[in-house]
Amino acid sequence: MAEKPSEKSPEEPEGSGKSGQSGQSGESIPDDVWAQFVQDSERDIRTSEAPKEPSARARMVTERLRQQEARGELPPGWRTGPAWQEMNGRAARRRKVWTILGVVLAIVVAVVAMKPSLLPGDPFGTVTDTDGGTQSANPLPDETGTPTNAPSDAPGTPTLDKPFAGSPAVRYADGAAGIVLPEAKPVGAFGKDQVAKALAQTKSLLVDANLDRKTLLGGTPETTLDKILDPKQPGMIDDARSWLRKPGKDSDPLWLFSRFDPDEVRLVGDVVKTRGRTTFKAGRDGGVAIHADYTFVYPLAQADPDSTEVSRTIVRRVLDLELLNPAKYEVTPGRLSVNRHDQDLANSACDIYDGFLHPQFDSAEPTGAPPSGPTTDPYDRSRDIGKSGTEECGTVSRT
């Protein structure tokens, strides 16, 4: 039976606060409250169940578990995965990671939306050209075979800042970068290195004759005449120099070289667009036959420095060159011979044979004879210009 606490002794200091006493009052517990507490406690003790002895089955299970534990065997748990709290923690971490990734993705999408050219390959078709303008399409891959049709139209109007706008040439390579040579290999009497040198000479000729600024402004392409073409080829170099000195209908340097009169026009920017391909195969008697087919697009303005109108002249050239076998022919080793030279000159005045290309501008009166030939697309590289069967000066469908 619980013992009733004694009343506070007169010797104890007031407010000592023993168990069962109020911390704020020095009075003892009332008799009726204490009596009720004792009565309730005795009732709880009488009604509580005494501990029961484990059943026989419980003792058997306990003994089996004890023996398994002694042997190091543990019963399989009903939940073999990670604790639920741990799993929830991982889920929270996953949600946190996905939240961070979502923020990063949103930033990337926003940046790409403002500047799509940051994506590899520029899938949205907006890249910056060399003149600082925006092109409408990706650069074309290298030409590896004969095209089957003409390129599609391009939007835009040419300006001094974007001279190739509105032309398929906006997707062409810049200058000499568009002259991509095939991998050399031994052919006939020549080894790989000799073939590689002949291919490099072909590129140098194309650059010197069609891209070199000195040549374009009326100069003489000395590299071609002094270092590449074979002086032993009858009449070739002598004829070419004669055409340059005294051009005419039957002696036109435009058959081999692209030239403009600097008193009439000026080149716009530093870029000439180039598109084409070079191939080679076994030639005559152990020689190497090289075929070059290229289109050059020249942006031009009138010589007047205040003129802002831009026009384009398109020149396509097809050359068949040959590295002849010195054991079979009287040639200069390491020099090239010309077997064929065809050209298609688009947007140049008809029947003017002064050795220069003369582009037409919308703001200027037409020069030369009226076109009398068929209308052709100068960007259509699927047609063979060497088999046109006509020398008439025709009309171009676009420039």
Side-chain angles (χ1 to χ4, degrees):
M1 179 181 295
E3 181 180 4
K4 176 182 177 181
S6 63
E7 295 182 358
K8 183 176 65 175
S9 170
E11 290 77 21
E12 293 175 351
E14 187 174 351
S16 62
K18 286 186 178 181
S19 175
Q21 296 177 345
S22 170
Q24 296 179 354
S25 173
E27 298 179 357
S28 62
I29 300 175
D31 292 341
D32 57 338
V33 174
W34 176 251
Q36 184 63 43
F37 171 76
V38 172
Q39 183 179 355
D40 292 342
S41 299
E42 291 176 346
R43 185 182 64 251
D44 292 339
I45 292 173
R46 287 194 300 271
T47 57
S48 61
E49 294 184 359
K52 294 182 179 180
E53 183 179 357
S55 65
R57 178 174 176 79
R59 290 195 300 271
M60 181 180 65
V61 171
T62 300
E63 179 60 17
R64 187 180 66 220
L65 292 175
R66 186 187 63 77
Q67 293 176 1
Q68 287 179 342
E69 184 177 1
R71 293 194 301 268
E73 300 175 1
L74 295 178
W78 63 269
R79 187 183 64 198
T80 58
W84 291 112
Q85 184 177 2
E86 182 182 354
M87 291 178 66
N88 288 337
R90 292 181 180 177
R93 288 194 292 273
R94 285 197 296 269
R95 287 194 296 270
K96 188 179 298 183
V97 169
W98 278 111
T99 300
I100 296 173
L101 291 178
V103 172
V104 173
L105 181 60
I107 294 174
V108 171
V109 170
V111 171
V112 170
M114 291 185 290
K115 193 171 183 181
S117 60
L118 292 176
L119 287 179
D122 193 28
F124 297 107
T126 52
V127 297
T128 301
D129 64 21
T130 56
D131 298 301
T134 298
Q135 299 179 359
S136 60
N138 293 325
L140 292 171
D142 296 337
E143 188 175 284
T144 57
T146 302
T148 57
N149 48 45
S152 58
D153 290 330
T157 301
T159 65
L160 294 176
D161 292 332
K162 303 177 184 179
F164 299 102
S167 163
V170 76
R171 302 184 65 189
Y172 291 3
D174 293 353
I179 304 175
V180 180
L181 300 176
E183 183 179 357
K185 62 180 180 180
V187 175
F190 298 96
K192 179 179 178 180
D193 290 344
Q194 292 170 303
V195 173
K197 179 182 177 182
L199 292 172
Q201 287 176 312
T202 300
K203 181 172 182 175
S204 294
L205 186 156
L206 291 166
V207 171
D208 191 43
N210 302 281
L211 297 173
D212 182 79
R213 201 168 188 87
K214 178 184 176 183
T215 301
L216 295 179
L217 295 178
T220 299
E222 298 292 353
T223 299
T224 297
L225 300 175
D226 293 343
K227 298 180 180 180
I228 297 176
L229 296 184
D230 190 349
K232 291 185 178 182
Q233 182 178 3
M236 185 69 246
I237 294 180
D238 290 340
D239 286 350
R241 290 192 180 277
S242 175
W243 303 340
L244 290 165
R245 287 193 306 267
K246 191 176 180 179
K249 184 176 181 179
D250 297 324
S251 56
D252 196 343
L254 298 180
W255 292 338
L256 282 177
F257 313 117
S258 297
R259 304 165 78 240
F260 298 92
D261 185 351
D263 293 331
E264 179 187 356
V265 297
R266 70 183 192 272
L267 295 168
V268 176
D270 299 323
V271 174
V272 174
K273 289 292 187 175
T274 307
R275 179 75 177 162
R277 66 192 182 280
T278 300
T279 58
F280 69 95
K281 62 182 181 179
R284 296 172 292 174
D285 300 317
V288 182
I290 301 172
H291 179 78
D293 182 346
Y294 286 89
T295 297
F296 303 93
V297 184
Y298 304 94
L300 304 148
Q302 297 179 64
D304 181 356
D306 295 328
S307 176
T308 59
E309 182 183 357
V310 176
S311 184
R312 289 182 289 255
T313 291
I314 302 97
V315 175
R316 182 179 172 191
R317 296 197 182 278
V318 176
L319 288 174
D320 283 334
L321 307 173
E322 193 163 12
L323 180 63
L324 292 171
N325 184 358
K328 299 290 184 176
Y329 296 90
E330 186 178 347
V331 295
T332 304
R335 295 291 190 94
L336 302 179
S337 299
V338 180
N339 290 340
R340 169 195 175 190
H341 54 84
D342 285 316
Q343 63 286 328
D344 187 31
L345 313 177
N347 190 22
S348 182
C350 298
D351 298 335
I352 297 180
Y353 304 102
D354 60 357
F356 296 114
L357 294 160
H358 297 277
Q360 178 64 48
F361 293 87
D362 292 338
S363 62
E365 291 293 328
T367 57
S372 58
T375 299
T376 58
D377 182 356
Y379 294 104
D380 184 2
R381 292 184 44 77
S382 65
R383 61 189 180 94
D384 188 344
I385 63 173
K387 297 179 181 179
S388 60
T390 179
E391 295 182 358
E392 293 180 303
C393 184
T395 304
V396 294
S397 60
R398 55 179 173 173
T399 60

